[in-house]
Structure formats: C-alpha cells, structure tokens
Amino acid sequence: MPSYKCPTCGKDCFTHEGLTKHVRTHTGEKPYRCDVCEKKFSQSSHLTQHMRTHTGEKPYSCDVCGKNFARRFTLTTHMQTHTDEKPHSCDVCGKAFKRKGVLSLHTQTHTGKKFRCPDCGVGYTERYKLKKHIEQRHSAPNTPDITVSTHASAGVVTTTHSFNSGPGSSETTSVSYISSHDKERPPVQVVTHLTESTETIMVKQLDGKFIATTQPRAETDPRNSSSQ
C-alpha cells in the first residue's frame, strides 16, 4: 500500500488527503471558517461539529436512555455510564476508571503535578478544580450575559436565546425558534450573529440545511429612536 510521508516530521499517511490534514498541524493553516462567529478550523469535520454549538443539533442518540449528543465521541463516552466496565486502571494503586481522562487526572494525585492559575499561582491536582477557581475568582466580570424571551402572535410563537460576550464586547449571538400551532409546519430556526461591523443571519431550511448571509451592520441613527 503506498504511503505519503510528511516532509516535516516523517510521519507516514495512507492517503494524500490524510497527509494534507496532517501537514496543517505543522503549518497552523485553518481553511474552514464558521459563517456565524468566523472561528477557523483545520478540518471540515471540526467545523461541522462546531456549527452544532450554534444550531443546537444533536444527531447522536443513546439507544439505552434516549439522550442526544452533538458528537459521536461524547455518545461513546456516555455509553460507558450504562455498563460496569472500567478498562483504564492506575499503574500505582490499581484503581480502575471508565474513562481514560479520569485516569489521567487520578494519576496526578500520585505524581504531585499541579495545574496552576495564571493569575494568582494557586495550584490544583485536577484541571476541573482550576477551571472552577478561575470562574469564581477571576472571570466574574466577563461572564456572558444570557437572556431568554418569548413572543406569541397570530398562532406563532418565537423563543429567542441571546448571548452577549460580556462587558465591553460588541458581539451578540441570538438563536430564535419560530413555531406554529400547525403541527405539519416544522419550527424554523434562525441564528443571528452581530459584530461591530457585520450582521450574519442563518436560517434552517426544511431539509435541515442552513442558508447563511453576511452583510454590513446597519448603523443606528439616534435621531430615529427619539420620541416624536
């Protein structure tokens, strides 16, 4: 079977496409961009997964409890909660875990390795404890502003979730779900992302695809908002 060798590190890839994806780990190239928030990715599959954070799509369902997930890997991890299997064991004390990531965190209790806060230097043996510390002690002023509103008119209900990046930020993302009492008409989903200069609107079609349009953001004339 022919192989394609990376000119930087010498790794063998089975296909030319695989080599192209691998080379991006060296070059940092990210050719796939989200039309909503403009975040960039090195692989199209990563962009597909990211888009679900805007659309709320969760195509992977657990056959046991029916819970839905946005990523196949998350579903695979979740399935372990329905079994007693613990395939990952600690080489030091023998304690077993269902997830490799949890084993990795546990191993740090033996090595003494700490995750340190970049602001105050306090250390934790588990990453999630450091994350909690940062959220509680250092990130309160930047907590995103989230509001939910519902509007009903002529048999149509619109529920909107708005996310603001926090004080000083001009970026706002809102996700609206427009539904009708007519059961034969599926709900419409609209995602709007506003930056300082642009407005991007994504509308979910009946076939599940999204149409995205980006245009310059209209300036607000304060004279138009004054009372007559």
Side-chain angles (χ1 to χ4, degrees), residues 148-211:
V148 180
S149 60
T150 301
H151 175 73
S153 177
V156 177
V157 179
T158 303
T159 303
T160 302
H161 297 71
S162 299
F163 308 84
N164 184 274
S165 299
S169 174
S170 60
E171 295 192 18
T172 302
T173 299
S174 63
V175 182
S176 298
Y177 301 91
I178 306 174
S179 58
S180 169
H181 293 311
D182 184 354
K183 300 300 182 180
E184 295 184 358
R185 297 178 60 187
V188 177
Q189 185 174 335
V190 180
V191 180
T192 303
H193 181 73
L194 298 177
T195 68
E196 186 175 353
S197 58
T198 63
E199 177 182 42
T200 300
I201 300 177
M202 277 191 8
V203 180
K204 187 175 183 180
Q205 302 179 98
L206 296 180
D207 58 4
K209 296 182 179 179
F210 281 82
I211 293 181

Short mmCIF file of all heavy atoms in Angstrom, two decimals, residues 148-211:
data_model
loop_
_atom_site.label_atom_id
_atom_site.label_comp_id
_atom_site.label_asym_id
_atom_site.label_seq_id
_atom_site.Cartn_x
_atom_site.Cartn_y
_atom_site.Cartn_z
N VAL A 148 -33.41 35.17 27.79
CA VAL A 148 -34.37 34.36 27.04
C VAL A 148 -35.69 35.12 26.97
O VAL A 148 -36.18 35.60 28.00
CB VAL A 148 -34.59 32.98 27.71
CG1 VAL A 148 -35.60 32.17 26.91
CG2 VAL A 148 -33.28 32.24 27.84
N SER A 149 -36.26 35.24 25.79
CA SER A 149 -37.52 35.95 25.62
C SER A 149 -38.46 35.14 24.74
O SER A 149 -38.02 34.40 23.86
CB SER A 149 -37.30 37.34 25.01
OG SER A 149 -36.69 37.24 23.74
N THR A 150 -39.76 35.27 25.00
CA THR A 150 -40.78 34.56 24.21
C THR A 150 -41.83 35.55 23.75
O THR A 150 -42.30 36.39 24.54
CB THR A 150 -41.43 33.44 25.04
OG1 THR A 150 -40.43 32.53 25.47
CG2 THR A 150 -42.46 32.69 24.21
N HIS A 151 -42.22 35.44 22.47
CA HIS A 151 -43.24 36.33 21.91
C HIS A 151 -44.23 35.51 21.12
O HIS A 151 -43.85 34.65 20.32
CB HIS A 151 -42.59 37.38 20.99
CG HIS A 151 -43.60 38.24 20.29
ND1 HIS A 151 -44.32 39.22 20.93
CD2 HIS A 151 -43.99 38.28 18.99
CE1 HIS A 151 -45.12 39.82 20.07
NE2 HIS A 151 -44.93 39.27 18.88
N ALA A 152 -45.52 35.72 21.36
CA ALA A 152 -46.56 34.98 20.65
C ALA A 152 -47.48 35.96 19.93
O ALA A 152 -47.90 36.98 20.49
CB ALA A 152 -47.37 34.14 21.63
N SER A 153 -47.78 35.64 18.65
CA SER A 153 -48.67 36.49 17.87
C SER A 153 -49.28 35.69 16.74
O SER A 153 -48.57 35.00 16.01
CB SER A 153 -47.90 37.69 17.31
OG SER A 153 -48.74 38.49 16.50
N ALA A 154 -50.60 35.75 16.60
CA ALA A 154 -51.32 35.10 15.49
C ALA A 154 -50.98 33.62 15.37
O ALA A 154 -50.78 33.11 14.28
CB ALA A 154 -51.04 35.83 14.19
N GLY A 155 -50.89 32.92 16.49
CA GLY A 155 -50.63 31.50 16.46
C GLY A 155 -49.18 31.12 16.24
O GLY A 155 -48.87 29.94 16.09
N VAL A 156 -48.29 32.10 16.22
CA VAL A 156 -46.87 31.84 16.01
C VAL A 156 -46.11 32.23 17.28
O VAL A 156 -46.28 33.33 17.81
CB VAL A 156 -46.31 32.63 14.81
CG1 VAL A 156 -44.80 32.39 14.66
CG2 VAL A 156 -47.03 32.22 13.53
N VAL A 157 -45.28 31.31 17.78
CA VAL A 157 -44.51 31.55 18.99
C VAL A 157 -43.03 31.64 18.64
O VAL A 157 -42.48 30.76 17.98
CB VAL A 157 -44.72 30.42 20.04
CG1 VAL A 157 -43.89 30.69 21.29
CG2 VAL A 157 -46.20 30.31 20.39
N THR A 158 -42.39 32.71 19.08
CA THR A 158 -40.96 32.91 18.84
C THR A 158 -40.23 32.96 20.18
O THR A 158 -40.53 33.80 21.02
CB THR A 158 -40.70 34.21 18.07
OG1 THR A 158 -41.42 34.20 16.84
CG2 THR A 158 -39.20 34.38 17.80
N THR A 159 -39.30 32.03 20.38
CA THR A 159 -38.47 32.00 21.58
C THR A 159 -37.04 32.31 21.18
O THR A 159 -36.48 31.66 20.30
CB THR A 159 -38.53 30.62 22.27
OG1 THR A 159 -39.89 30.31 22.58
CG2 THR A 159 -37.70 30.63 23.55
N THR A 160 -36.45 33.31 21.82
CA THR A 160 -35.11 33.77 21.45
C THR A 160 -34.16 33.68 22.64
O THR A 160 -34.48 34.14 23.74
CB THR A 160 -35.15 35.23 20.95
OG1 THR A 160 -36.04 35.31 19.83
CG2 THR A 160 -33.76 35.69 20.55
N HIS A 161 -33.00 33.05 22.42
CA HIS A 161 -31.92 33.00 23.40
C HIS A 161 -30.82 33.94 22.90
O HIS A 161 -30.28 33.72 21.81
CB HIS A 161 -31.35 31.58 23.54
CG HIS A 161 -32.35 30.58 24.05
ND1 HIS A 161 -33.41 30.14 23.29
CD2 HIS A 161 -32.44 29.94 25.24
CE1 HIS A 161 -34.12 29.27 23.99
NE2 HIS A 161 -33.55 29.13 25.17
N SER A 162 -30.49 34.96 23.68
CA SER A 162 -29.48 35.93 23.28
C SER A 162 -28.25 35.79 24.18
O SER A 162 -28.37 35.70 25.41
CB SER A 162 -30.02 37.36 23.38
OG SER A 162 -31.13 37.53 22.50
N PHE A 163 -27.06 35.77 23.55
CA PHE A 163 -25.81 35.61 24.27
C PHE A 163 -24.91 36.80 23.96
O PHE A 163 -24.57 37.04 22.80
CB PHE A 163 -25.09 34.32 23.83
CG PHE A 163 -25.95 33.10 23.91
CD1 PHE A 163 -26.82 32.77 22.88
CD2 PHE A 163 -25.91 32.27 25.02
CE1 PHE A 163 -27.62 31.65 22.93
CE2 PHE A 163 -26.72 31.15 25.08
CZ PHE A 163 -27.57 30.84 24.05
N ASN A 164 -24.54 37.56 24.99
CA ASN A 164 -23.60 38.67 24.84
C ASN A 164 -22.28 38.27 25.47
O ASN A 164 -22.26 37.71 26.57
CB ASN A 164 -24.14 39.94 25.48
CG ASN A 164 -23.23 41.13 25.25
OD1 ASN A 164 -22.29 41.35 26.00
ND2 ASN A 164 -23.51 41.91 24.21
N SER A 165 -21.16 38.54 24.79
CA SER A 165 -19.86 38.10 25.25
C SER A 165 -19.43 38.74 26.56
O SER A 165 -18.48 38.29 27.19
CB SER A 165 -18.79 38.37 24.17
OG SER A 165 -19.10 37.66 23.00
N GLY A 166 -20.10 39.79 27.00
CA GLY A 166 -19.77 40.39 28.28
C GLY A 166 -19.50 41.88 28.14
O GLY A 166 -19.53 42.45 27.05
N PRO A 167 -19.21 42.56 29.26
CA PRO A 167 -18.98 44.00 29.25
C PRO A 167 -17.86 44.38 28.28
O PRO A 167 -16.82 43.73 28.23
CB PRO A 167 -18.58 44.30 30.70
CG PRO A 167 -19.19 43.19 31.50
CD PRO A 167 -19.12 41.98 30.61
N GLY A 168 -18.10 45.42 27.51
CA GLY A 168 -17.09 45.89 26.58
C GLY A 168 -17.10 45.20 25.24
O GLY A 168 -16.38 45.59 24.33
N SER A 169 -17.90 44.14 25.08
CA SER A 169 -17.92 43.39 23.82
C SER A 169 -19.08 43.86 22.96
O SER A 169 -20.18 44.12 23.45
CB SER A 169 -18.07 41.89 24.10
OG SER A 169 -18.24 41.19 22.88
N SER A 170 -18.82 43.99 21.66
CA SER A 170 -19.85 44.41 20.72
C SER A 170 -20.49 43.22 20.01
O SER A 170 -21.33 43.40 19.14
CB SER A 170 -19.25 45.37 19.67
OG SER A 170 -18.22 44.72 18.95
N GLU A 171 -20.08 41.98 20.36
CA GLU A 171 -20.58 40.79 19.68
C GLU A 171 -21.76 40.20 20.44
O GLU A 171 -21.71 40.03 21.66
CB GLU A 171 -19.48 39.75 19.54
CG GLU A 171 -18.35 40.20 18.63
CD GLU A 171 -17.42 39.05 18.27
OE1 GLU A 171 -17.83 37.89 18.42
OE2 GLU A 171 -16.29 39.33 17.82
N THR A 172 -22.80 39.88 19.70
CA THR A 172 -24.01 39.27 20.27
C THR A 172 -24.49 38.16 19.34
O THR A 172 -24.53 38.35 18.12
CB THR A 172 -25.13 40.30 20.46
OG1 THR A 172 -24.67 41.35 21.31
CG2 THR A 172 -26.36 39.65 21.09
N THR A 173 -24.85 37.02 19.91
CA THR A 173 -25.43 35.92 19.14
C THR A 173 -26.80 35.60 19.70
O THR A 173 -26.96 35.46 20.92
CB THR A 173 -24.54 34.66 19.20
OG1 THR A 173 -23.26 34.96 18.65
CG2 THR A 173 -25.17 33.53 18.40
N SER A 174 -27.79 35.48 18.83
CA SER A 174 -29.13 35.11 19.26
C SER A 174 -29.62 33.94 18.43
O SER A 174 -29.37 33.87 17.23
CB SER A 174 -30.10 36.30 19.13
OG SER A 174 -30.22 36.69 17.78
N VAL A 175 -30.31 33.00 19.10
CA VAL A 175 -30.88 31.83 18.44
C VAL A 175 -32.39 31.87 18.66
O VAL A 175 -32.85 31.81 19.80
CB VAL A 175 -30.29 30.52 18.99
CG1 VAL A 175 -30.87 29.33 18.24
CG2 VAL A 175 -28.78 30.53 18.89
N SER A 176 -33.16 31.98 17.57
CA SER A 176 -34.61 32.08 17.66
C SER A 176 -35.26 30.81 17.11
O SER A 176 -34.85 30.30 16.06
CB SER A 176 -35.12 33.30 16.88
OG SER A 176 -34.61 34.50 17.41
N TYR A 177 -36.27 30.31 17.83
CA TYR A 177 -37.04 29.16 17.40
C TYR A 177 -38.46 29.64 17.14
O TYR A 177 -39.16 30.08 18.07
CB TYR A 177 -37.02 28.07 18.47
CG TYR A 177 -35.63 27.59 18.81
CD1 TYR A 177 -34.91 28.19 19.84
CD2 TYR A 177 -35.04 26.55 18.11
CE1 TYR A 177 -33.63 27.77 20.15
CE2 TYR A 177 -33.76 26.12 18.42
CZ TYR A 177 -33.06 26.73 19.44
OH TYR A 177 -31.80 26.31 19.75
N ILE A 178 -38.90 29.57 15.88
CA ILE A 178 -40.21 30.07 15.49
C ILE A 178 -41.10 28.88 15.20
O ILE A 178 -40.84 28.10 14.28
CB ILE A 178 -40.11 30.99 14.26
CG1 ILE A 178 -39.09 32.10 14.52
CG2 ILE A 178 -41.46 31.56 13.90
CD1 ILE A 178 -38.81 32.96 13.30
N SER A 179 -42.15 28.69 16.00
CA SER A 179 -43.02 27.53 15.84
C SER A 179 -44.48 27.98 15.69
O SER A 179 -44.87 29.06 16.12
CB SER A 179 -42.89 26.59 17.05
OG SER A 179 -43.21 27.27 18.25
N SER A 180 -45.26 27.09 15.06
CA SER A 180 -46.67 27.36 14.81
C SER A 180 -47.52 26.27 15.45
O SER A 180 -47.05 25.16 15.71
CB SER A 180 -46.93 27.44 13.31
OG SER A 180 -48.30 27.44 13.03
N HIS A 181 -48.79 26.59 15.69
CA HIS A 181 -49.72 25.58 16.23
C HIS A 181 -50.01 24.51 15.18
O HIS A 181 -50.51 23.43 15.51
CB HIS A 181 -51.03 26.24 16.67
CG HIS A 181 -50.86 27.14 17.86
ND1 HIS A 181 -50.20 26.75 19.00
CD2 HIS A 181 -51.26 28.42 18.07
CE1 HIS A 181 -50.21 27.74 19.88
NE2 HIS A 181 -50.84 28.77 19.33
N ASP A 182 -49.71 24.81 13.94
CA ASP A 182 -49.90 23.84 12.86
C ASP A 182 -48.80 22.78 12.95
O ASP A 182 -47.64 23.05 12.67
CB ASP A 182 -49.85 24.54 11.50
CG ASP A 182 -50.15 23.59 10.35
OD1 ASP A 182 -50.29 22.38 10.61
OD2 ASP A 182 -50.24 24.07 9.20
N LYS A 183 -49.15 21.57 13.36
CA LYS A 183 -48.16 20.50 13.59
C LYS A 183 -47.46 20.07 12.31
O LYS A 183 -46.38 19.49 12.36
CB LYS A 183 -48.85 19.29 14.24
CG LYS A 183 -49.50 19.59 15.58
CD LYS A 183 -48.47 20.10 16.59
CE LYS A 183 -49.11 20.35 17.94
NZ LYS A 183 -48.13 20.85 18.93
N GLU A 184 -48.06 20.34 11.15
CA GLU A 184 -47.44 19.94 9.90
C GLU A 184 -46.34 20.90 9.46
O GLU A 184 -45.58 20.61 8.54
CB GLU A 184 -48.51 19.83 8.80
CG GLU A 184 -49.54 18.73 9.05
CD GLU A 184 -50.50 18.60 7.90
OE1 GLU A 184 -50.38 19.39 6.94
OE2 GLU A 184 -51.37 17.71 7.95
N ARG A 185 -46.25 22.04 10.11
CA ARG A 185 -45.22 23.01 9.78
C ARG A 185 -44.10 22.91 10.81
O ARG A 185 -44.29 23.24 11.98
CB ARG A 185 -45.79 24.42 9.77
CG ARG A 185 -46.86 24.64 8.73
CD ARG A 185 -47.40 26.06 8.81
NE ARG A 185 -46.36 27.05 8.60
CZ ARG A 185 -46.55 28.36 8.76
NH1 ARG A 185 -47.75 28.82 9.12
NH2 ARG A 185 -45.57 29.20 8.54
N PRO A 186 -42.92 22.42 10.42
CA PRO A 186 -41.83 22.28 11.38
C PRO A 186 -41.33 23.64 11.85
O PRO A 186 -41.47 24.64 11.13
CB PRO A 186 -40.74 21.55 10.57
CG PRO A 186 -41.04 21.91 9.15
CD PRO A 186 -42.54 22.02 9.07
N PRO A 187 -40.78 23.72 13.05
CA PRO A 187 -40.27 25.01 13.54
C PRO A 187 -39.10 25.50 12.69
O PRO A 187 -38.34 24.73 12.13
CB PRO A 187 -39.83 24.69 14.97
CG PRO A 187 -39.59 23.21 14.97
CD PRO A 187 -40.59 22.64 14.02
N VAL A 188 -38.99 26.81 12.60
CA VAL A 188 -37.90 27.46 11.87
C VAL A 188 -36.87 27.95 12.88
O VAL A 188 -37.23 28.50 13.92
CB VAL A 188 -38.42 28.63 11.02
CG1 VAL A 188 -37.26 29.35 10.32
CG2 VAL A 188 -39.43 28.14 10.00
N GLN A 189 -35.61 27.74 12.57
CA GLN A 189 -34.53 28.17 13.46
C GLN A 189 -33.70 29.25 12.78
O GLN A 189 -33.26 29.08 11.65
CB GLN A 189 -33.64 26.98 13.83
CG GLN A 189 -32.57 27.31 14.85
CD GLN A 189 -31.82 26.05 15.27
OE1 GLN A 189 -32.36 24.95 15.18
NE2 GLN A 189 -30.61 26.20 15.72
N VAL A 190 -33.52 30.36 13.46
CA VAL A 190 -32.76 31.48 12.92
C VAL A 190 -31.65 31.85 13.88
O VAL A 190 -31.89 32.06 15.07
CB VAL A 190 -33.67 32.71 12.68
CG1 VAL A 190 -32.84 33.87 12.10
CG2 VAL A 190 -34.82 32.36 11.74
N VAL A 191 -30.41 31.88 13.38
CA VAL A 191 -29.26 32.27 14.18
C VAL A 191 -28.74 33.60 13.66
O VAL A 191 -28.44 33.74 12.48
CB VAL A 191 -28.13 31.21 14.11
CG1 VAL A 191 -26.94 31.65 14.96
CG2 VAL A 191 -28.64 29.85 14.57
N THR A 192 -28.65 34.60 14.55
CA THR A 192 -28.16 35.92 14.17
C THR A 192 -26.91 36.24 14.98
O THR A 192 -26.91 36.13 16.21
CB THR A 192 -29.22 37.00 14.43
OG1 THR A 192 -30.42 36.67 13.73
CG2 THR A 192 -28.72 38.36 13.97
N HIS A 193 -25.84 36.61 14.28
CA HIS A 193 -24.58 36.96 14.96
C HIS A 193 -24.19 38.38 14.56
O HIS A 193 -24.01 38.69 13.39
CB HIS A 193 -23.46 36.00 14.58
CG HIS A 193 -22.16 36.29 15.27
ND1 HIS A 193 -21.95 36.03 16.60
CD2 HIS A 193 -21.00 36.84 14.80
CE1 HIS A 193 -20.72 36.39 16.93
NE2 HIS A 193 -20.13 36.89 15.86
N LEU A 194 -24.09 39.26 15.56
CA LEU A 194 -23.74 40.65 15.32
C LEU A 194 -22.34 40.94 15.83
O LEU A 194 -21.99 40.58 16.95
CB LEU A 194 -24.73 41.59 16.04
CG LEU A 194 -26.21 41.50 15.61
CD1 LEU A 194 -27.05 42.43 16.48
CD2 LEU A 194 -26.37 41.88 14.14
N THR A 195 -21.52 41.55 14.98
CA THR A 195 -20.22 42.06 15.41
C THR A 195 -20.28 43.58 15.29
O THR A 195 -21.33 44.16 14.97
CB THR A 195 -19.08 41.51 14.54
OG1 THR A 195 -19.20 42.03 13.22
CG2 THR A 195 -19.14 39.98 14.48
N GLU A 196 -19.16 44.21 15.51
CA GLU A 196 -19.15 45.67 15.45
C GLU A 196 -19.46 46.18 14.05
O GLU A 196 -20.02 47.26 13.88
CB GLU A 196 -17.78 46.18 15.89
CG GLU A 196 -17.69 47.70 15.99
CD GLU A 196 -16.36 48.16 16.54
OE1 GLU A 196 -15.57 47.30 16.95
OE2 GLU A 196 -16.11 49.37 16.56
N SER A 197 -19.13 45.36 13.02
CA SER A 197 -19.28 45.85 11.64
C SER A 197 -20.18 44.98 10.76
O SER A 197 -20.57 45.42 9.68
CB SER A 197 -17.91 45.96 10.97
OG SER A 197 -17.24 44.70 10.98
N THR A 198 -20.48 43.75 11.17
CA THR A 198 -21.26 42.86 10.30
C THR A 198 -22.44 42.23 11.03
O THR A 198 -22.47 42.15 12.26
CB THR A 198 -20.39 41.73 9.73
OG1 THR A 198 -19.90 40.91 10.81
CG2 THR A 198 -19.22 42.29 8.94
N GLU A 199 -23.39 41.76 10.24
CA GLU A 199 -24.55 41.03 10.74
C GLU A 199 -24.70 39.77 9.91
O GLU A 199 -24.84 39.83 8.69
CB GLU A 199 -25.82 41.87 10.64
CG GLU A 199 -27.08 41.13 11.09
CD GLU A 199 -28.34 41.96 10.93
OE1 GLU A 199 -28.46 42.65 9.89
OE2 GLU A 199 -29.18 41.94 11.82
N THR A 200 -24.63 38.59 10.56
CA THR A 200 -24.75 37.31 9.87
C THR A 200 -26.05 36.63 10.31
O THR A 200 -26.31 36.51 11.52
CB THR A 200 -23.56 36.39 10.17
OG1 THR A 200 -22.36 37.03 9.73
CG2 THR A 200 -23.71 35.05 9.45
N ILE A 201 -26.85 36.19 9.36
CA ILE A 201 -28.12 35.54 9.65
C ILE A 201 -28.12 34.16 9.00
O ILE A 201 -27.84 34.03 7.80
CB ILE A 201 -29.32 36.36 9.14
CG1 ILE A 201 -29.34 37.75 9.82
CG2 ILE A 201 -30.63 35.63 9.40
CD1 ILE A 201 -30.45 38.64 9.32
N MET A 202 -28.42 33.12 9.78
CA MET A 202 -28.52 31.76 9.27
C MET A 202 -29.94 31.26 9.50
O MET A 202 -30.46 31.35 10.60
CB MET A 202 -27.53 30.83 9.99
CG MET A 202 -26.14 30.89 9.42
SD MET A 202 -25.02 29.60 10.01
CE MET A 202 -26.03 28.52 10.93
N VAL A 203 -30.57 30.72 8.45
CA VAL A 203 -31.93 30.21 8.52
C VAL A 203 -31.91 28.72 8.18
O VAL A 203 -31.35 28.33 7.15
CB VAL A 203 -32.87 30.96 7.57
CG1 VAL A 203 -34.28 30.39 7.66
CG2 VAL A 203 -32.86 32.45 7.87
N LYS A 204 -32.48 27.90 9.05
CA LYS A 204 -32.55 26.47 8.80
C LYS A 204 -33.72 26.16 7.88
O LYS A 204 -34.85 26.52 8.15
CB LYS A 204 -32.71 25.71 10.12
CG LYS A 204 -32.63 24.20 9.97
CD LYS A 204 -32.68 23.51 11.31
CE LYS A 204 -32.51 22.00 11.18
NZ LYS A 204 -32.54 21.31 12.49
N GLN A 205 -33.43 25.46 6.79
CA GLN A 205 -34.45 25.10 5.82
C GLN A 205 -35.16 23.80 6.22
O GLN A 205 -34.77 23.13 7.17
CB GLN A 205 -33.82 24.92 4.44
CG GLN A 205 -33.07 26.15 3.95
CD GLN A 205 -32.45 25.91 2.59
OE1 GLN A 205 -33.02 26.30 1.58
NE2 GLN A 205 -31.30 25.27 2.56
N LEU A 206 -36.21 23.46 5.47
CA LEU A 206 -36.99 22.26 5.78
C LEU A 206 -36.16 21.00 5.63
O LEU A 206 -36.43 20.00 6.31
CB LEU A 206 -38.22 22.19 4.85
CG LEU A 206 -39.24 23.32 5.02
CD1 LEU A 206 -40.40 23.12 4.05
CD2 LEU A 206 -39.76 23.39 6.45
N ASP A 207 -35.15 21.02 4.75
CA ASP A 207 -34.31 19.83 4.56
C ASP A 207 -33.18 19.75 5.58
O ASP A 207 -32.31 18.88 5.50
CB ASP A 207 -33.74 19.80 3.15
CG ASP A 207 -32.91 21.05 2.82
OD1 ASP A 207 -32.73 21.88 3.73
OD2 ASP A 207 -32.46 21.18 1.68
N GLY A 208 -33.16 20.67 6.54
CA GLY A 208 -32.15 20.64 7.59
C GLY A 208 -30.90 21.43 7.27
O GLY A 208 -30.05 21.60 8.13
N LYS A 209 -30.76 21.94 6.04
CA LYS A 209 -29.60 22.71 5.67
C LYS A 209 -29.77 24.16 6.12
O LYS A 209 -30.87 24.64 6.34
CB LYS A 209 -29.37 22.65 4.17
CG LYS A 209 -29.04 21.26 3.64
CD LYS A 209 -28.78 21.30 2.15
CE LYS A 209 -28.44 19.90 1.62
NZ LYS A 209 -28.20 19.91 0.16
N PHE A 210 -28.64 24.85 6.24
CA PHE A 210 -28.67 26.24 6.67
C PHE A 210 -28.23 27.15 5.53
O PHE A 210 -27.30 26.84 4.78
CB PHE A 210 -27.75 26.46 7.87
CG PHE A 210 -28.34 26.02 9.16
CD1 PHE A 210 -28.29 24.69 9.54
CD2 PHE A 210 -28.96 26.92 10.00
CE1 PHE A 210 -28.83 24.27 10.74
CE2 PHE A 210 -29.51 26.51 11.21
CZ PHE A 210 -29.44 25.19 11.58
N ILE A 211 -28.91 28.27 5.40
CA ILE A 211 -28.50 29.32 4.47
C ILE A 211 -27.98 30.48 5.29
O ILE A 211 -28.68 30.99 6.19
CB ILE A 211 -29.68 29.78 3.59
CG1 ILE A 211 -30.11 28.66 2.64
CG2 ILE A 211 -29.29 31.00 2.78
CD1 ILE A 211 -31.25 29.05 1.73
#
